[in-house]
Amino acid sequence: MAIRTILTQEDPALSKLCHPVTQFDSKLADLLDDLKETLAQANGMGLAAPQVGILRRVAIVVLEDESFLEMVNPEILAQEGEQTGWEGCLSLPGMWGSVKRPDWVKIRAQDRNGQWFEMEGTDMTARCFCHEISHLDGHMYTELTDRLYTAEELDEILANEGDQEKQVKRERRGRRR
Ligand SMILES: [Zn+2]
C-alpha cells in the first residue's frame, strides 16, 4: 500500500469524466488499498480515484461506524429529501461551502471482486455518496455553493451555533472528502 498525492482543484483530472472499471484485478485492489490509506492519513470522509489522478469510477467513503466502503462503478438509484450542510474537499484544502444535498440516497456499486450491492445512506453518508459520485463525473461541490468560507470563518459561524449536539456534528462535518 502507498499514500498517493491528492490533486488540488486546478488539476485537469478533477474535471474529467471517469471511465467505468471493467477489470477486477490486482491493480484495482491496489488502487482501493491506496485510496483507503491516503484517505485515512488525510482524516477525510471520502476520496475518489480522480483525486489521485486515476480516471476510473472508483471511490471510498467513511460510513457512520467509521468503516470504509469501497465503491466501484457507483451510481445513484434513488434520492429523497433535502439537507443543507457544510462541505469540504481534500482537493480544495482549507475551504468550505454550504451545499444542498438529498437527505436520503440509495446507491448501487460493485465491490473489488465485481459483485454488485445496494446501500442506503442518510445525513452525512448521503452527502458523501453524492460528493464522491460527482467527482467521477468531473464535478466539484464548489459548483453547488454561492461562496466559499475559510476555516476561520467557518469556525466563527459554528461557534455561534453553540450547543453540544452541534459541536459533535461539527467534528464530523469538519472532515473533508
Ligand atoms: Zn471531494
Side-chain angles (χ1 to χ4, degrees):
M1 295 212 289
I3 305 266
R4 302 212 187 184
T5 302
I6 298 174
L7 305 177
T8 49
Q9 199 185 17
E10 309 75 45
D11 196 287
L14 290 168
S15 55
K16 299 264 165 62
L17 182 68
C18 295
H19 311 288
V21 171
T22 53
Q23 309 247 17
F24 294 83
D25 53 12
S26 62
K27 206 173 158 194
L28 174 66
D30 287 346
L31 173 62
L32 284 162
D33 289 342
D34 287 359
L35 285 175
K36 263 192 271 192
E37 195 177 348
T38 306
L39 179 57
Q41 201 227 16
N43 193 31
M45 295 282 301
L47 187 63
Q51 291 181 278
V52 299
I54 307 292
L55 298 180
R56 291 281 165 191
R57 302 190 76 79
V58 175
I60 306 259
V61 299
V62 177
L63 299 176
E64 295 286 337
D65 66 358
E66 298 291 319
S67 65
F68 292 98
L69 177 71
E70 301 178 356
M71 304 188 296
V72 179
N73 299 326
E75 49 195 77
I76 292 174
L77 294 178
Q79 59 184 56
E80 273 176 23
E82 191 178 287
Q83 58 168 320
T84 301
W86 293 100
E87 215 159 298
C89 181
L90 291 168
S91 293
L92 194 53
M95 301 304 289
W96 309 92
S98 178
V99 182
K100 202 180 279 183
R101 299 283 193 188
D103 197 41
W104 173 88
V105 172
K106 183 180 186 181
I107 61 145
R108 76 167 196 151
Q110 285 167 287
D111 66 15
R112 62 170 65 200
N113 301 311
Q115 287 296 320
W116 285 99
F117 64 90
E118 292 183 1
M119 186 171 280
E120 296 173 25
T122 58
D123 193 38
M124 284 298 287
T125 305
R127 180 173 292 281
C128 284
F129 284 158
C130 295
H131 183 112
E132 298 314 323
I133 292 171
S134 293
H135 271 304
L136 306 181
D137 292 323
H139 294 298
M140 297 275 291
Y141 80 91
T142 49
E143 297 163 41
L144 302 174
T145 189
D146 289 339
R147 65 157 285 192
L148 295 175
Y149 296 79
T150 64
E152 291 74 25
E153 288 172 320
L154 180 61
D155 273 348
E156 202 167 310
I157 292 166
L158 295 177
N160 289 336
E161 287 181 5
D163 75 56
Q164 187 81 31
E165 187 193 354
K166 279 177 181 154
Q167 289 297 325
V168 173
K169 276 189 175 168
R170 175 187 166 192
E171 280 194 9
R172 271 185 78 76
R173 289 188 197 287
R175 287 166 63 188
R176 295 162 294 162
R177 302 164 189 91

